[in-house]
């Protein structure tokens, strides 16, 4: 049980949240990091592209960042889920699933997003290993192998044109409309094969993918398949607090300004939940921006009125 009041509560303790907390910690402010421990990339065994940590296990990267923060006695870690948040700048209350409540002058929402995957046999269990969304994160490793793109939106034709950079590519329409003649011509120029027959499932040993199985019985050799999932907020807290949303590339995102301040005074948001393009580097950079901005707002609050 704790009844502590914090300068800031960071909700979400992954790339964005821990980066925000680090700035506040170094600013000598009291910060609570509340984390439910489910980062978006927890399905992947390796994370790629992050400065100095290419190929590291996601859980190790997050653990290393946490460990650095434990050196700061003004940072308080809470392994719990924040189920409600209310109040106003200077006086927020955050309720945890355990029933406890903490108070904070500022909030940083770094709660991430959840991927809504298409409902296809054999797909969900391969997510993050051989069913993927981002070739920069997971593409180099499959270089030269037969690759697929599962059409989920009209933009998937462009994705297929891109994926040929990594290997010979089939665009599986799986019920999505046939692209128009202009797009088909571009797909042909990029050597994308278009497969209109619907998919019955994905097949392979364990989490590896060997074949996409079609409803006419064919099995097309495929080593990795890319898709664009729809995304939703991983937490309803931004909505509860009244933050404004906008449409991102993949789903709703929290509206923020250049300092990662939301439309609600005293509430900042960072990472996937508050940006259209997603990766760990951008999430971390957003966290740095939000953490520094929260610190500045604490320093300068009330000065004008004095
Ligand atoms: C399969 C897959 C593979 C990926 N691979 C890569 C890669 O190789 N390289 C790369 O750069 N990016 C990769 N990404 C993207 C990367 O995972 C995200 O961009 C990054 O995790 C976003 O960081 P974040 O801190 O915003 O959110 P997250 O990492 O999703 O963390 C959010 C945290 O907030 C917690 N949380 C949520 N709600 C609450 C609540 N109410 N109370 C308490 N805690 C809460 C969650 O449990 C979680 O720990 C991948 C994504 C996926 C889906």
């Amino acid at each position: 049980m704790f009844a502590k009041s914090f300068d800031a509560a960071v909700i979400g303790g992954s790339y964005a949240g821990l980066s925000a907390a680090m700035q506040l910690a170094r600013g000598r402010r009291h910060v609570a990091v509340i984390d439910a421990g489910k980062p978006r990339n927890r399905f992947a065994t390796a994370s790629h592209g992050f400065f100095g940590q290419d190929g590291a296990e996601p859980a190790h990267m997050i653990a290393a960042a946490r460990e650095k923060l434990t050196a700061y006695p003004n940072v308080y870690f809470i392994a719990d889920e924040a189920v409600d948040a209310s109040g106003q700048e200077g006086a927020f209350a955050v309720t945890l699933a355990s029933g406890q409540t903490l108070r904070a002058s500022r909030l940083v929402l770094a709660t991430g997003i959840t991927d809504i995957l298409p409902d296809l046999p054999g797909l969900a269990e391969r997510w993050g290993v051989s069913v993927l969304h981002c070739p920069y994160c997971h593409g180099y490793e499959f270089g030269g192998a037969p690759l697929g793109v599962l059409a989920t939106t009209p933009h998937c034709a462009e994705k297929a044109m891109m994926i040929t950079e990594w290997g010979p590519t089939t665009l599986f329409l799986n019920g999505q409309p046939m692209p128009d003649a202009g797009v088909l011509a571009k797909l042909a120029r990029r050597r994308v094969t278009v497969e209109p027959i619907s998919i019955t499932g994905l097949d392979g040993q364990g989490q590896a993918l060997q074949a996409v199985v079609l409803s006419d019985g064919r099995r097309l050799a495929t080593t990795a398949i890319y898709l664009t999932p729809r995304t939703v907020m991983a937490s309803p807290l931004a909505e509860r607090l009244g933050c404004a949303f906008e449409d991102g590339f993949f789903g709703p995102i929290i509206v923020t300004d250049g300092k990662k301040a939301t439309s609600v005074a005293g509430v900042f948001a960072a990472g996937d939940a508050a940006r259209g393009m997603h990766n760990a580097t951008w999430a971390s950079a957003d966290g740095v921006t939000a953490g520094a901005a929260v610190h500045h707002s604490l320093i300068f609050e009330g000065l004008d009125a004095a």
Side-chain angles (χ1 to χ4, degrees):
M1 189 75 176
F2 50 87
K4 198 156 180 189
S5 274
F6 295 91
D7 293 313
V10 176
I11 306 176
S14 179
Y15 304 95
L18 294 177
S19 301
M22 179 56 91
Q23 302 305 306
L24 287 157
R26 295 193 54 73
R28 305 180 75 238
R29 294 291 179 156
H30 288 280
V31 52
V33 179
I34 305 157
D35 186 42
K38 289 186 180 162
R40 186 182 173 203
N41 62 350
R42 64 189 179 279
F43 305 96
T45 49
S47 165
H48 292 102
F50 197 96
F51 181 70
Q53 301 226 36
D54 185 49
E57 213 180 297
H60 283 175
M61 292 169 77
I62 293 166
R66 273 181 72 112
E67 197 197 323
K68 290 290 179 194
L69 271 171
T70 57
Y72 296 82
N74 45 329
V75 179
Y76 197 99
F77 286 102
I78 301 166
D80 206 336
E81 186 187 356
V83 290
D84 201 7
S86 58
Q88 60 199 29
E89 188 170 41
F92 290 105
V94 180
T95 308
L96 307 178
S98 58
Q100 300 177 90
T101 299
L102 63 86
R103 305 200 176 278
S105 294
R106 302 287 186 275
L107 296 181
V108 178
L109 302 177
T111 42
I113 54 177
T114 299
D115 296 287
I116 309 294
L117 299 176
D119 187 15
L120 265 183
L123 188 143
E125 55 266 42
R126 294 188 168 82
W127 178 236
V129 177
S130 55
V131 176
L132 303 155
H133 73 307
C134 168
Y136 296 103
C137 299
H138 308 278
Y140 185 87
E141 292 68 28
F142 298 107
L147 303 174
V149 170
L150 175 59
T152 51
T153 72
H155 300 296
C156 290
E158 255 175 54
K159 189 159 195 158
M161 291 176 212
M162 191 176 136
I163 295 295
T164 54
E165 288 290 306
W166 284 269
T169 303
T170 301
L171 172 60
F172 294 94
L173 293 180
N174 195 40
Q176 289 284 321
M178 180 64 77
D180 65 31
V183 174
L184 281 175
K186 286 186 196 169
L187 285 164
R189 280 207 291 280
R190 290 291 296 163
R191 298 180 193 281
V192 175
T193 305
V194 178
E195 178 53 69
I197 301 296
S198 60
I199 299 174
T200 55
L202 305 183
D203 197 20
Q205 283 262 306
Q207 287 187 293
L209 177 64
Q210 267 124 20
V212 173
V213 186
L214 301 176
S215 58
D216 61 5
R218 279 179 298 146
R219 294 169 57 85
L220 295 194
T222 309
T223 305
I225 191 161
Y226 293 84
L227 57 90
T228 304
R230 196 166 61 77
T231 64
V232 293
M233 288 287 118
S235 159
L237 288 183
E239 205 179 336
R240 293 260 172 82
L241 285 157
C243 296
F245 285 83
E246 62 184 319
D247 288 333
F249 296 112
F250 312 107
I253 55 173
I254 305 167
V255 174
T256 52
D257 66 11
K259 294 179 174 176
K260 303 309 290 179
T262 71
S263 59
V264 176
V267 180
F268 295 71
D272 283 7
R275 57 168 22 262
M277 299 291 283
H278 305 138
N279 73 22
T281 308
W282 283 320
S284 176
D286 277 359
V288 171
T289 304
V294 166
H295 190 221
H296 290 189
S297 82
L298 289 165
I299 295 167
F300 293 105
E301 80 180 327
L303 276 187
D304 288 341

